[in-house]
């Protein structure tokens, strides 16, 4: 297939492009800078200097493409969460960018599949129950409204058209060596500290970044239109997650910083959101596509983080903060 990707140099986009090229697909990627162009060329992708917000030029880039992966985001890091201008950039990508892509596709009839990466964090508190896109109440905060609008646009793209697919992947919170926030979390644990964002029994559903990338590729090749939850097999409670961090760094336990410190980095709405318990199931997506995460739980994931950082240091972190798709926080909000 010929696949067009936005956000191709981002935390999710980079492993997606790598896996697509390795699978034999031709990848055309939106690129806005010489550095990103060089990076894309090195991975075997074809960089195209087009504007995501210009449907006419975008339509030219989409000619002969079979699918579009709209992976671009501008999610702030934890230290930037209180900066409204970054959220505004993210809203523009989700709203105007998605509309522009769909408009461009109307002039590029070869495109039959549109994939959009969303989030599961806006699910309401589920306690200890397993929840999915089919049964969870959606209780978004302000910064999530744009992703819900984008989701609907992607589903509408395929509605009533048998030859089109609109696929929404609601990811758990990203973590892995390419996430600066994950690197910082592991470093704090090495110093004996952990930040608790919820009660000890609250479940948090995460996803290893490379597993998220393989889910995008599997969705492209096998998923029909719909909304799917893409998370690890075994979500951890807050207590279990902190124990997994402690085990990864060789400590019996970590000192848990008081949650009131979150007021200095997270807006009030987001503090309330991350306190929810979300025990999310990936079963439907696994059954439909055959996908399975290679990192099924945080107990394994944080050990892998330790091994990678011990071997490579922290050079794997992303520095593409000014590129759509370049910033991705552990919170993935």
């Amino acid at each position: 297939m010929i696949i067009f990707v936005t956000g191709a140099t981002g935390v999710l986009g980079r492993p997606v492009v790598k896996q697509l090229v390795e699978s034999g697909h031709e990848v055309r990627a939106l690129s806005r800078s010489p550095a990103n162009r060089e990076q894309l060329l090195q991975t075997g992708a074809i960089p195209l200097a087009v504007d995501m917000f210009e449907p006419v030029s975008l339509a030219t880039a989409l000619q002969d493409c079979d699918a579009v992966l709209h992976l671009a985001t501008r999610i702030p890091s934890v230290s930037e969460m209180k900066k409204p201008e970054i959220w505004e950039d993210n809203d523009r990508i989700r709203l105007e960018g998605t509309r522009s892509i769909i408009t461009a596709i109307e002039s590029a009839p070869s495109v039959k599949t549109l994939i959009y990466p969303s989030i599961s964090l806006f699910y309401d508190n589920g306690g200890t129950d397993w929840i999915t896109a089919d049964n969870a109440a959606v209780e978004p905060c302000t910064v999530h409204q744009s992703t819900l609008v984008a989701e609907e646009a992607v589903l509408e793209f395929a509605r009533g058209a048998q030859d089109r697919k609109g696929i929404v992947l609601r990811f758990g919170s990203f973590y892995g060596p390419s996430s600066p926030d994950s690197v910082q979390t592991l470093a704090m644990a090495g110093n004996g500290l952990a930040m608790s964002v919820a009660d000890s029994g609250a479940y948090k559903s995460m996803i290893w970044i490379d597993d998220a990338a393989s889910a995008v590729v599997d969705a492209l090749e096998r998923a029909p239109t719909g909304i799917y939850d893409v998370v690890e097999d075994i979500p951890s409670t807050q207590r279990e997650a902190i124990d997994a961090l402690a085990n990864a760094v060789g400590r019996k336990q970590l000192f848990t910083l008081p949650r009131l410190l979150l007021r200095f980095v997270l807006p009030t709405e987001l503090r309330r959101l991350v306190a929810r318990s979300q025990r999310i199931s990936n079963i439907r997506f696994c059954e439909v596509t055959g996908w399975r995460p290679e990192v099924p739980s945080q107990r394994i994931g944080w050990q892998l983080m330790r091994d990678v950082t011990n071997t490579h240091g922290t050079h794997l972190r992303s520095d593409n903060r000014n590129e759509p798709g370049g910033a991705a926080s552990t919170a993935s909000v």
Side-chain angles (χ1 to χ4, degrees):
M1 282 191 279
I2 302 174
I3 303 156
F4 183 84
V5 182
T6 71
T9 57
V11 168
L12 176 62
R14 288 197 304 274
V16 167
V17 169
K18 181 177 183 292
Q19 292 184 33
L20 288 172
V21 171
E22 289 175 349
S23 298
H25 299 292
E26 178 180 313
V27 179
R28 301 175 184 174
L30 185 151
S31 175
R32 290 176 18 179
S33 73
N36 284 347
R37 175 182 173 83
E38 182 60 29
Q39 179 182 325
L40 290 166
L41 287 171
Q42 290 177 359
T43 62
I46 302 169
L48 299 176
V50 295
D51 189 336
M52 183 196 312
F53 305 106
E54 287 290 339
V56 175
S57 62
L58 194 55
T60 301
L62 295 183
Q63 294 303 315
D64 301 325
C65 289
D66 300 293
V68 174
L69 311 184
H70 183 26
L71 308 184
T73 60
R74 185 68 173 92
I75 303 295
S77 65
V78 171
S79 63
E80 298 174 314
M81 287 286 176
K82 286 194 171 184
K83 295 181 179 180
E85 65 273 14
I86 297 181
W87 290 112
E88 290 169 4
D89 288 345
N90 194 54
D91 285 344
R92 186 177 183 228
I93 291 168
R94 286 171 167 173
L95 298 173
E96 187 179 337
T98 304
R99 287 195 300 267
S100 177
I101 287 169
I102 293 174
T103 299
I105 290 174
E106 297 303 328
S107 300
S110 62
V111 177
K112 302 300 183 184
T113 301
L114 175 58
I115 294 181
Y116 175 75
S118 188
I119 54 176
S120 56
L121 273 173
F122 49 55
Y123 291 156
D124 200 4
N125 193 331
T128 60
D129 294 337
W130 287 98
I131 58 177
T132 68
D134 294 327
N135 67 13
V138 173
E139 294 290 341
C141 61
T142 302
V143 298
H144 294 149
Q145 296 294 342
S146 59
T147 203
L148 289 170
V149 173
E151 282 189 4
E152 181 56 32
V154 170
L155 296 176
E156 183 62 31
F157 159 79
R159 193 165 285 137
Q162 293 184 350
D163 62 340
R164 286 183 171 183
K165 296 196 301 180
I167 299 168
V168 173
L169 303 179
R170 288 182 177 170
F171 288 109
S173 296
F174 286 168
Y175 77 118
S178 57
S179 164
D181 292 329
S182 295
V183 173
Q184 183 179 31
T185 296
L186 192 67
M188 285 179 58
N191 291 321
L193 301 174
M195 174 60 76
S196 178
V197 299
D199 291 337
S200 61
Y203 282 90
K204 295 297 169 190
S205 295
M206 308 280 282
I207 183 70
W208 189 253
I209 292 170
D210 282 349
D211 284 335
S214 68
V216 173
V217 177
D218 286 353
L220 172 70
E221 296 174 345
R222 291 187 282 275
T225 291
I227 299 176
Y228 301 92
D229 296 297
V230 181
V231 297
E232 60 199 347
D233 288 336
I234 310 169
S236 298
T237 64
Q238 187 73 89
R239 180 71 268 162
E240 290 168 342
I242 293 173
D243 287 346
L245 274 167
N247 183 67
V249 298
R251 289 180 175 270
K252 291 184 178 180
Q253 61 183 20
L254 301 178
F255 176 76
T256 304
L257 297 172
R259 286 163 56 187
L260 61 86
L261 293 178
L262 290 174
R263 72 176 67 178
F264 297 109
V265 291
L266 294 183
T268 302
E269 276 191 305
L270 290 180
R271 293 202 304 274
R272 292 171 180 167
L273 179 143
V274 298
R276 298 171 182 172
S277 179
Q278 296 170 329
R279 192 184 189 191
I280 302 169
S281 170
N282 63 19
I283 288 178
R284 179 167 175 259
F285 184 70
C286 293
E287 290 177 343
V288 167
T289 65
W291 172 86
R292 293 310 301 248
E294 292 189 4
V295 181
S297 71
Q298 288 186 62
R299 180 161 294 277
I300 294 173
W302 288 116
Q303 290 176 352
L304 287 175
M305 275 287 300
R306 174 204 61 198
D307 294 343
V308 170
T309 53
N310 285 347
T311 302
H312 301 287
T314 59
H315 75 279
L316 294 174
R317 70 180 65 187
S318 171
D319 293 317
N320 298 324
R321 292 280 177 198
N322 296 319
E323 286 292 324
S329 73
T330 304
S332 292
V333 293

